[in-house]
Amino acid sequence: MDWYETVFELIDMRSFSNLWFWIALAVLWSSTSHWVLGVPWDVVIRARKAKGPEDAQTVIDLHDLVRINANRILYIARESGLLLAAFVCFTITVAFLLGFVYHKEFAQALFLLGFPMSIVGLLSLRTARKIKVRALEGEALYRQLYRHRLLTQVIGMISIFVTAMWGMLQNMTIGVLGG
């Protein structure tokens, strides 16, 4: 076995042994955690730390961004929620069946990316509805956004852990069985 063959055996194009998959997973969860309901987390932090009238624009900007994005999420859910839910459920079911019943690794990877993101999508819908119904502002809004971000991060940590364990199992199984 020569060096070239050894390198390409270690770095093949399967999903769980591909560096690009792990980079995509990290970017997906990093971005999802940073953008809370479409609002950058640093804007939330700056608005929360705002003290005087010179920081008033930051607070106004945050409230406007949250209002716009919450209304947008609720509008999409109201207008095409049923169709979107059906499409997402169909896609996730197909990925699950192809991945775990028919043992297609690419479908497993898509399922392990998509299923937790669908949970985050439902969480975003719930948070947007809560913000709109309760007309949250100020500290109550910051707390709700923080809770949403924390739950998103917990979902992300569980997702990354499960994906890493499944990916290692797949890589070890393929390595033991020889492809």
Side-chain angles (χ1 to χ4, degrees), residues 98-120:
L98 284 174
F100 298 100
V101 175
Y102 293 105
H103 307 291
K104 301 297 178 191
E105 190 173 309
F106 184 70
Q108 292 172 0
L110 289 178
F111 177 81
L112 290 170
L113 291 172
F115 180 69
M117 288 306 295
S118 66
I119 296 171
V120 171

Side-chain angles (χ1 to χ4, degrees), residues 63-130:
H63 283 82
D64 288 345
L65 279 171
V66 170
R67 179 183 47 80
I68 290 167
N69 286 320
N71 286 338
R72 184 176 153 268
I73 290 168
L74 293 173
Y75 174 78
I76 291 169
R78 189 172 48 254
E79 293 299 316
S80 59
L82 185 60
L83 186 62
L84 187 61
F87 178 75
V88 168
C89 289
F90 172 78
T91 305
I92 288 174
T93 302
V94 167
F96 178 82
L97 291 174
L98 284 174
F100 298 100
V101 175
Y102 293 105
H103 307 291
K104 301 297 178 191
E105 190 173 309
F106 184 70
Q108 292 172 0
L110 289 178
F111 177 81
L112 290 170
L113 291 172
F115 180 69
M117 288 306 295
S118 66
I119 296 171
V120 171
L122 290 173
L123 179 65
S124 296
L125 179 61
R126 188 187 86 174
T127 302
R129 187 169 286 131
K130 208 180 271 189

Side-chain angles (χ1 to χ4, degrees), residues 33-51 55-67 69 138 141-142 145-146 149:
S33 173
H34 178 70
W35 293 87
V36 180
L37 288 184
V39 178
W41 185 246
D42 61 293
V43 173
V44 178
I45 296 297
R46 278 189 283 134
R48 191 175 215 166
K49 290 180 180 178
K51 298 291 183 207
D55 297 327
Q57 189 60 46
T58 303
V59 175
I60 293 168
D61 290 347
L62 171 71
H63 283 82
D64 288 345
L65 279 171
V66 170
R67 179 183 47 80
N69 286 320
L141 177 63
Y142 306 148
L145 292 174
Y146 174 77
R149 183 172 192 245

